[in-house]
Amino acid sequence: MTIVAPGSGSPVGDPFEGPTASQDDRGTSLWRGAWQRLRRDPFAILGALIVLAFVVVAVAAPLIAPYEPGGAQWGSQVTPSSVPGPSEDHLLGLDAFGSDLFTQLVHGARQSLVIGVVSTVIGLAVGSSIGLLAGGIGGKVDVALMRLVDVLLSIPSLLLAVSVAAALGRTSTSVMIAIGAAQVPIFARLLRGSLLAQRNADYVLAASSLGLRRRRVVMNHMLPNSLGPVIVQATLVLATAIIEVAALSFLGLGEPNPTVAEWGRMLVKSQDRLETSPQLALLPGMLIAVTALGFTLVGEALREALDPKFRR
Amino acid sequence: MLRFVLRRLALTVPVLLGLSILLFLWLRALPGDPARALLGQRATPESIANVTRLYGFDEPLYEQYFSYIGALLQGNFGSSTQTGEPVTAMFRQGFPATFELAVCALLFAVLLGIPLGYYAARRHGTPLDSLTVGASLLGVVIPVFFLAYLLKLVFAIGIEPLDGLGVFPTAGRQNPRIGATHPTGFYILDGLLTREWDAAWDAFLHLVLPAVALGTIPLAIIVRITRAAVLDVTGEDFVRTAEAKGLTSSTISRRHVLRNALLPVVTTVGLQAGLLLSGAVLTETVFAINGLGSKLFSAITLLDYPVLQGFILAIALMYALINLTVDVLYGVIDPRVRVS
Amino acid sequence: MHRSRSIRAAALLGAAALALAGCADSDREDASGGGTEGEGSSGAEGGTFVFAASADPVSLDPAFASDGETFRVARQMFEGLVGTEPGTADPAPLLATEWEGSDDGLSYTFTLRDDVTFHDGEPFNAEAVCANFDRWYNWTGLLQSENISYYYNSLFRGFADTDPQGIYESCTADEETSATITLTQPFAGFVQAMSLPAFSMQSPAAMEQYDADNVSGTEDDVRFSEYATAHPTGTGPFQFESWERGQQVTLVPYEEYWGDQAKVDEVVVRTISDGNARRQALQNGEIDGYDLVAPGDISSLEDAGFQIENRPPFNILYLGMNQAVPELKDIRVRQAIAHAIDKDAVISQSLPEGSEVATQFIPETVSGYADDVTTYDYDPERAKSLLAEAGASDLTLQFNYPTGVSRPYMPTPEETFVAIRSQLEAVGITVTPVADQWNPNYLDKIQGTPDHGLHLLGWTGDYNDTDNFLGVFFGKASPEWGFDNAELFGALTEARGLPTRDEQTPAYEDINREVMDFLPGVPIAHPVPSLAFAPEVEGFQTSPVQDEVWNAVTVSE
């Protein structure tokens, strides 16, 4: 049973609680209302379609791709100054090392999804815990933790990710941890802010006067009320994660296998052949941009849909 | 006012201190010997022993930290493991190019972004508005280096069949054949100061594509924030009052709406500084501009730790100063903030 | 109100701009120095030659340098006793017209030119020669460290106040135009070594005036002297004009040069660190030439009308096989790997066209090259059967390669790695890739620790001496190769000590045969380094050891 916080945009209220400000006269809950708005928003639909396509391709990559990824099986057809274009055997031609370009792009989606999701989960888990502790406990713990967050925010997030990746060495795991680390401050601030906003709310005072332990209040009541903004933020952060993976590859931090199917890697390698084979740059670059766009559209649409101001 | 500034400054110091601790620990957390990491290729048993003694790597951690801070405060940020050049000298060398680029990018973003956002908001609901929103969303998600490649490909190198668009220079800050004089290191300014108009114009041309690439994300964000802020303000009571008083639409827009919408825009512009600094690393590399960004890029790919440490600290400092300036501006524009 | 305020602001800004304009003086000469577009130079003389370097010189004193970009600039201003025959690595007279070595190889007498002056007007003579040799020998403290005086250290191996004192004993100025250098041990490559820019003759007067040996700081934070940063003084066709750090070095012709006068009015060596940017600068007309052309750019540049000049290759690219890895200790495994590699395919996929397949660890032009070494032809079947014989059909090996680097002997390490990996996998070897940043991690790991397996590396020769190749690789036990072959080490030490070239050649030939039987690594190719030039450039003479002086270069309009 979740106590609903009035006016904060929260999940479905318990029917026994009676009508609250989050339910309008027609009895539609916040989430259902949001869904109705989303359904009519063309941007949201576009974004959702992109995300769906991306996820499907990523998950079904081994089935969609005609060949094995990263094999450089046709290296003998590649010279330093030329790369074969589309042909019967190769839908989009070859890449700079002699792998099938279409296969590499499809498996690249898979890499991006994995890295994006894992790093976002890391950022979300660690960041939210920090924010929870800071906002929930308050006092000195709050100050100390927020100082740490401020330090992390004092440099641009790309440099933060770079520092972590440099320290951890060249593996995909270190890239995921690095990007996750750069997202920690965002979630920390978000959770803490959300908790602080609810702290003085009537229902919290009511709950504590009822004798409910602090921790119970935070975990069982305040936390779920923060769900909306967290989901929105996670979507947006996923979009930036996909871009940051590419940026880190650009900077030379990432897997040691040069033929690994990863969009950022492919984009970097294409710089040498920008004039002779521009498709090697254009295709992965567009895919990165479009995928990030999809997630951003969904995230932005969700944010607008869940924002009570728009429900006038 | 002064108290406000001092208070904000006082908040910055512990943050920078914390960052220096993190960076200090970071170097020692790296795999391998920190002395080797600092010396790079030039490591021999003698030089490793020298550096270990110099930096006190065999001393207890807190003592090391104090000598590290001491060195920093004296202006000694160490030297590059690649060239042996002092980090401070490298910073001074690279600063003009990056500053010029960042200023142009910011000008591009602000001069184009605020009017665009404003007009999109005024025409809320029309196709123009939707188009602007869509374009700005796209602008945010395009990776900077990809955009830089694209611009270079289309407007500098020239791609069939749009060959004719390839008019801009592809790389660098200036055509060396012009033989320009550089008293300050800021090439456009130098051209103006010395009346070498062709040099100034040439430097400007070289900056166009990089500035557009770097400024696109801030542009997109400024458009969105301005639009949102203007929309917010337009719905406010005082605007309706002004309309009721009979003021013309244009007067309302200029005098009241824009001024009040300016607040979040100012904050955003300040926040863009961070994006500009990290974007500069990628943009300068694609356009081969020898500024802080490309020096940082080399330092990252070559893991040149003294340069990385020094530059990151310097960037954090700049970032903090910019935020401070933004907060002060905020206080100037909105008296309410000062008092709280 | 608003309007007038903004108008006032704009007016203020405009006034400020106008006031600033003309505040500083223009250094530019409008006459001829700039060579701007539209101003046609008369015929082939005059103009500015703009060359793009990949990095800034570290300093302008070649005695303290070991990087190619410092040498590139230094070669225009400095000359040594000995030069090279154009287009080869063979010694030729330069500041010395002839030389004679004693039979025991312990002393060399150089007859010097009598018409040479330094850029500061001081005469070049035997006294100046000995001043230079003694300067190097008497370096103390910081100057003795390998990071600072690399070439002196590796060839002379000692100083006045060290123990051992090295092979230099003394220098005597017999007459104005004759100097004799005495050594403590024979060094058959001594004359060739004198062609290295590190041993250029520098003006003693200028070195004293500007305190050339005043190198301060620490090894990792070297501060060079005023001489090295602002007053380098040699005898070459160009003299120093200015150095804008991180941007460019400007040189002008030395009017009193003893040889062929420089044809251009000015030389600018511009620093452009990104290879793509160098190419684009050439295509834009902003520079006249650059070095280290990427293999992929060669044909497109030629199609667009630019000139590609190849250097005769004086290098080697090899695949090292670290015998600290137990499987690689077995000679059959190493032979199998050699047979698995298709060198022609590696060249066509990752190296410039025209690169030669390598059969041994030295290029053909170096003495001691043997035509009859054991070769290992591309034969995957043989590779597989050798592996089976060694019980290693299921072999997994670590394969190290560097990132963030492009060297003349290894222009595209990633592509080379992928090409070889495919070939190894085709015979059943599983490869675990390990990538490291070139500097410091890769070099450190390969040359300083045993933690590597197969690795890509190479070498460009500094001067024509076999020891400069084989001695560097196999002169003593090293973590790079992981073996201890006392016989080989001994043979190389002995060969180095032989007093003359004629005695050394057969010894080195034997050593080459032995090395190729022992097979510590697979020599892959001698890649052809290329330079690219604008169509108007003529007179550039390439050299395998980069002894490229630009006095014959012209840039016609």
Side-chain angles (χ1 to χ4, degrees):
Chain A
M1 177 174 105
T2 311
I3 304 175
V4 175
S8 72
S10 32
V12 181
D14 189 325
F16 295 117
E17 292 284 313
T20 65
S22 79
Q23 299 174 336
D24 62 25
D25 307 303
R26 274 176 289 149
T28 317
S29 73
L30 174 76
W31 286 96
R32 200 129 13 109
W35 172 243
Q36 284 176 346
R37 266 185 297 283
L38 282 175
R39 263 197 342 206
R40 284 173 286 173
D41 179 2
F43 281 135
I45 296 177
L46 178 62
L49 282 175
I50 294 176
V51 169
L52 196 63
F54 171 69
V55 170
V56 164
V57 168
V59 167
L63 299 171
I64 302 178
Y67 303 104
E68 287 294 305
Q73 302 94 317
W74 299 275
S76 48
Q77 294 180 26
V78 169
T79 75
S81 49
S82 73
V83 159
S87 69
E88 239 178 60
D89 295 323
H90 304 284
L91 186 61
L92 294 172
L94 299 179
D95 78 351
F97 291 116
S99 314
D100 177 54
L101 187 57
F102 181 64
T103 308
Q104 295 293 92
L105 289 173
V106 164
H107 277 269
R110 194 159 224 220
Q111 271 287 76
S112 295
L113 181 66
V114 167
I115 297 181
V117 166
V118 172
S119 59
T120 304
V121 165
I122 293 178
L124 197 152
V126 175
S128 304
S129 314
I130 293 182
L132 210 61
L133 285 172
I137 303 182
K140 290 226 177 80
V141 172
D142 180 18
V143 171
L145 284 174
M146 281 303 111
R147 282 301 129 235
L148 177 63
V149 169
D150 279 341
V151 168
L152 289 179
L153 282 173
S154 66
I155 53 176
S157 66
L158 181 63
L159 290 182
L160 180 61
V162 163
S163 314
V164 174
L168 294 176
R170 295 196 56 157
T171 60
S172 312
T173 327
S174 63
V175 167
M176 291 191 252
I177 297 179
I179 298 179
Q183 297 161 355
V184 161
I186 303 176
F187 286 106
R189 278 228 172 139
L190 188 67
L191 249 302
R192 175 179 177 271
S194 175
L195 287 185
L196 282 184
Q198 297 173 54
R199 217 196 257 169
N200 293 324
D202 290 338
Y203 83 96
V204 171
L205 297 172
S208 47
S209 66
L210 274 178
L212 283 175
R213 274 186 15 242
R214 186 73 184 272
R215 208 175 110 200
R216 194 118 177 272
V217 177
V218 169
M219 293 303 286
N220 293 5
H221 305 291
M222 293 165 88
L223 187 56
N225 286 339
S226 315
L227 200 58
V230 165
I231 291 184
V232 169
Q233 195 63 23
T235 329
L236 295 171
V237 153
L238 193 56
T240 42
I242 293 178
I243 299 179
E244 287 202 327
V245 172
L248 285 179
S249 290
F250 187 77
L251 294 166
L253 303 153
E255 261 216 56
N257 182 357
T259 55
V260 70
E262 202 269 294
W263 289 340
R265 214 51 188 291
M266 297 167 72
L267 192 56
V268 170
K269 203 63 202 170
S270 68
Q271 200 197 5
D272 301 330
R273 299 176 190 265
L274 203 55
E275 295 172 39
T276 50
S277 316
Q279 79 276 11
L280 294 177
L282 290 173
L283 289 173
M286 277 190 339
L287 284 172
I288 294 175
V290 167
T291 310
L293 178 67
F295 279 98
T296 310
L297 285 176
V298 169
E300 293 287 333
L302 257 180
R303 171 191 283 166
E304 282 191 11
L306 287 174
D307 190 335
K309 265 208 278 188
F310 281 83
R311 288 168 51 248
R312 273 186 231 139
Chain B
M1 190 64 196
L2 189 63
R3 266 222 325 234
F4 174 67
V5 174
L6 284 176
R7 231 180 328 134
R8 295 291 289 110
L9 255 174
L11 282 176
T12 326
V13 172
V15 170
L16 286 177
L17 216 57
L19 182 62
S20 71
I21 295 180
L22 264 189
L23 286 174
F24 169 79
L25 290 173
W26 173 67
L27 180 65
R28 283 144 190 80
L30 296 165
D33 186 11
R36 244 174 213 279
L38 282 181
L39 286 171
Q41 190 194 18
R42 297 168 300 135
T44 64
E46 304 91 54
S47 56
I48 291 184
N50 278 340
V51 167
T52 308
R53 217 179 335 113
L54 192 71
Y55 285 95
F57 286 134
D58 41 6
E59 284 170 30
L61 216 57
Y62 61 89
E63 265 189 51
Q64 284 185 43
Y65 180 65
F66 281 121
S67 34
Y68 171 63
I69 291 290
L72 283 186
L73 289 174
Q74 284 178 0
N76 178 8
F77 280 69
S79 310
S80 160
T81 58
Q82 297 301 311
T83 63
E85 221 184 317
V87 174
T88 38
M90 289 177 74
F91 191 84
R92 239 179 299 128
Q93 220 183 68
F95 182 73
T98 307
F99 185 75
E100 257 194 337
L101 176 61
V103 165
C104 286
L106 203 56
L107 277 177
F108 166 71
V110 167
L111 292 177
L112 202 58
I114 294 186
L116 255 179
Y118 177 74
Y119 282 112
R122 294 302 267 176
R123 282 148 184 68
H124 182 48
T126 64
L128 174 67
D129 183 31
S130 309
L131 192 64
T132 312
V133 170
S136 62
L137 276 174
L138 193 61
V140 173
V141 298
I142 283 197
V144 173
F145 48 97
F146 179 56
L147 183 61
Y149 282 161
L150 273 184
L151 288 173
K152 191 153 100 150
L153 194 57
V154 176
F155 293 104
I157 297 175
I159 191 175
E160 331 233 328
L162 301 159
D163 245 12
L165 286 174
V167 292
F168 285 96
T170 48
R173 297 179 69 197
Q174 192 159 56
N175 187 339
R177 292 194 188 285
I178 292 186
T181 321
H182 298 135
T184 64
F186 299 91
Y187 284 16
I188 298 183
L189 184 63
D190 286 337
L192 291 175
L193 287 178
T194 58
R195 283 193 227 263
E196 290 170 358
W197 310 122
D198 56 337
W201 177 245
D202 178 68
F204 172 73
L205 280 183
H206 276 83
L207 266 182
V208 169
L209 292 181
V212 168
L214 187 57
T216 298
I217 295 186
L219 170 69
I221 295 181
I222 289 178
V223 164
R224 302 187 58 217
I225 300 285
T226 311
R227 176 181 168 278
V230 169
L231 277 179
D232 268 349
V233 164
T234 318
E236 294 287 335
D237 292 335
F238 76 91
V239 174
R240 278 186 273 149
T241 313
E243 279 171 348
K245 279 201 318 199
L247 286 169
T248 60
S249 186
S250 54
T251 320
I252 296 174
S253 41
R254 249 183 288 113
R255 196 184 299 182
H256 296 104
V257 174
L258 203 51
R259 211 129 155 259
N260 281 278
L262 220 50
L263 236 46
V265 177
V266 165
T267 332
T268 314
V269 169
L271 288 178
Q272 297 317 305
L275 267 181
L276 282 177
L277 288 170
S278 57
V281 175
L282 305 165
T283 313
E284 286 185 15
T285 310
V286 173
F287 287 100
I289 293 175
N290 192 12
L292 294 178
S294 57
K295 287 190 200 291
L296 195 52
F297 178 81
S298 306
I300 293 172
T301 45
L302 301 171
L303 293 180
D304 189 341
Y305 296 112
V307 176
L308 277 178
Q309 273 189 326
F311 274 40
I312 289 181
L313 264 179
I315 289 175
L317 187 62
M318 287 195 295
Y319 208 23
L321 283 175
I322 294 175
N323 283 338
L324 178 64
T325 316
V326 166
D327 282 345
V328 168
L329 268 176
Y330 211 91
V332 163
I333 298 179
D334 186 352
R336 292 176 292 177
V337 173
R338 258 180 282 163
V339 174
S340 65
Chain C
M1 252 301 242
H2 290 275
R3 214 175 280 155
S4 54
R5 246 201 283 171
S6 27
I7 289 183
R8 266 191 281 156
L12 255 167
L13 271 174
L18 279 171
L20 277 178
C23 245
D25 291 314
S26 171
D27 282 343
R28 194 164 56 168
E29 300 133 21
D30 293 310
S32 64
T36 42
E37 305 169 280
E39 284 181 18
S41 308
S42 52
E45 307 270 318
T48 307
F49 177 59
V50 183
F51 192 88
S54 60
D56 222 27
V58 177
S59 79
L60 296 176
D61 183 348
F64 293 135
S66 53
D67 64 306
E69 296 301 347
T70 302
F71 286 151
R72 190 194 309 280
V73 176
R75 292 242 194 224
Q76 315 307 322
M77 300 188 287
F78 292 96
E79 298 172 308
L81 293 172
V82 176
T84 57
E85 295 287 352
T88 74
D90 300 325
L94 194 56
L95 288 178
T97 54
E98 51 183 25
W99 48 84
E100 197 174 312
S102 63
D103 289 331
D104 59 3
L106 288 178
S107 74
Y108 292 84
T109 305
F110 293 89
T111 310
L112 311 171
R113 297 192 69 95
D114 62 359
D115 55 349
V116 181
T117 49
F118 289 102
H119 297 154
D120 57 357
E122 294 292 315
F124 168 73
N125 50 28
E127 216 183 296
V129 171
C130 290
N132 272 281
F133 274 92
D134 289 332
R135 171 200 182 201
W136 308 327
Y137 184 60
N138 287 305
W139 278 333
T140 55
L142 186 61
L143 300 174
Q144 289 179 356
S145 87
E146 240 183 74
N147 296 335
I148 296 185
S149 52
Y150 171 74
Y151 280 100
Y152 191 82
N153 259 298
S154 44
L155 294 177
F156 287 87
R157 286 182 246 128
F159 298 88
D161 68 354
T162 61
D163 177 34
Q165 288 181 314
I167 66 176
Y168 172 75
E169 187 170 308
S170 68
C171 168
T172 26
D174 314 315
E175 306 158 12
E176 185 85 354
T177 55
S178 170
T180 303
I181 316 289
T182 319
L183 305 174
T184 58
Q185 292 168 33
F187 175 23
F190 178 70
V191 171
Q192 281 85 349
M194 287 301 105
S195 67
L196 287 171
F199 303 122
S200 306
M201 294 292 121
Q202 311 194 29
S203 162
M207 289 197 286
E208 196 183 320
Q209 184 182 0
Y210 297 105
D211 214 359
D213 288 341
N214 180 11
V215 175
S216 60
T218 56
E219 265 180 32
D220 49 307
D221 180 11
V222 185
R223 313 288 169 115
F224 286 101
S225 63
E226 199 192 336
Y227 175 80
T229 53
H231 298 278
T233 313
T235 60
F238 290 97
Q239 58 183 334
F240 176 76
E241 162 112 327
S242 67
W243 181 9
E244 207 185 316
R245 286 261 187 182
Q247 292 295 339
Q248 60 192 49
V249 181
T250 310
L251 309 172
V252 290
Y254 176 48
E255 306 291 334
E256 318 292 326
Y257 181 57
W258 59 269
D260 294 325
Q261 258 297 306
K263 300 221 166 64
V264 295
D265 293 330
E266 199 188 35
V267 162
V268 172
V269 182
R270 188 145 240 258
T271 302
I272 304 182
S273 40
D274 179 52
N276 285 319
R278 287 198 290 277
R279 184 193 77 236
Q280 282 154 8
L282 182 69
Q283 289 168 322
N284 284 344
E286 291 181 9
I287 61 174
D288 295 309
Y290 73 99
D291 196 357
L292 299 174
V293 180
D297 294 335
I298 293 178
S299 43
S300 53
L301 281 173
E302 277 180 323
D303 289 339
F306 292 95
Q307 306 178 64
I308 301 287
E309 296 281 340
N310 293 332
R311 284 204 185 97
F314 198 64
N315 54 27
I316 176 71
L317 170 67
Y318 61 77
L319 177 74
M321 301 189 280
N322 183 10
Q323 294 181 41
V325 175
E327 293 91 336
L328 291 174
K329 261 198 158 42
D330 189 335
I331 180 75
R332 288 169 298 191
V333 173
R334 300 203 297 277
Q335 289 171 342
I337 292 177
H339 281 296
I341 296 181
D342 181 359
K343 297 178 189 176
D344 290 303
V346 174
I347 290 178
S348 78
Q349 284 176 40
S350 68
L351 297 178
E353 238 181 270
S355 302
E356 294 150 18
V357 166
T359 59
Q360 52 203 275
F361 281 87
I362 60 176
E364 214 179 317
T365 46
V366 177
S367 74
Y369 186 84
D371 291 316
D372 54 354
V373 294
T374 318
T375 55
Y376 302 85
D377 295 325
Y378 175 52
D379 191 346
E381 292 310 314
R382 177 119 184 85
K384 283 190 218 162
S385 66
L386 277 168
L387 283 173
E389 230 182 271
S393 296
D394 247 340
L395 191 54
T396 305
L397 287 174
Q398 213 183 72
F399 192 162
N400 300 67
Y401 74 94
T403 57
V405 67
S406 174
R407 314 239 33 108
Y409 54 79
M410 191 170 52
T412 52
E414 265 190 3
E415 278 84 336
T416 308
F417 163 75
V418 171
I420 297 180
R421 180 180 67 173
S422 305
Q423 293 164 3
L424 292 177
E425 284 177 347
V427 299
I429 300 177
T430 313
V431 166
T432 314
V434 177
D436 282 292
Q437 296 295 347
W438 172 249
N439 197 347
N441 301 358
Y442 186 74
L443 287 175
D444 230 26
K445 185 181 273 194
I446 303 299
Q447 295 176 328
T449 72
D451 307 318
H452 54 278
L454 303 173
H455 62 271
L456 282 176
L457 201 47
W459 177 256
T460 303
D462 293 315
Y463 63 107
N464 194 342
D465 184 12
T466 325
D467 192 53
N468 189 233
F469 283 86
L470 295 176
V472 168
F473 304 148
F474 309 121
K476 53 186 199 290
S478 110
E480 182 182 352
W481 306 96
F483 68 81
D484 192 354
N485 186 335
E487 201 190 315
L488 183 58
F489 302 151
L492 278 166
T493 312
E494 202 188 308
R496 188 192 308 136
L498 292 173
T500 66
R501 261 305 133 92
D502 293 330
E503 288 175 68
Q504 282 186 327
T505 307
Y508 278 123
E509 283 174 0
D510 281 335
I511 293 178
N512 262 317
R513 293 186 197 104
E514 200 188 310
V515 166
M516 286 318 293
D517 285 334
F518 180 51
L519 205 61
V522 183
I524 298 186
H526 305 293
V528 176
S530 311
L531 303 109
F533 293 101
E536 310 85 48
V537 173
E538 277 169 41
F540 194 97
Q541 172 67 53
T542 57
S543 154
V545 289
Q546 291 186 253
D547 181 11
E548 288 155 5
V549 190
W550 300 337
N551 50 342
V553 172
T554 57
V555 185
S556 49
E557 282 304 316

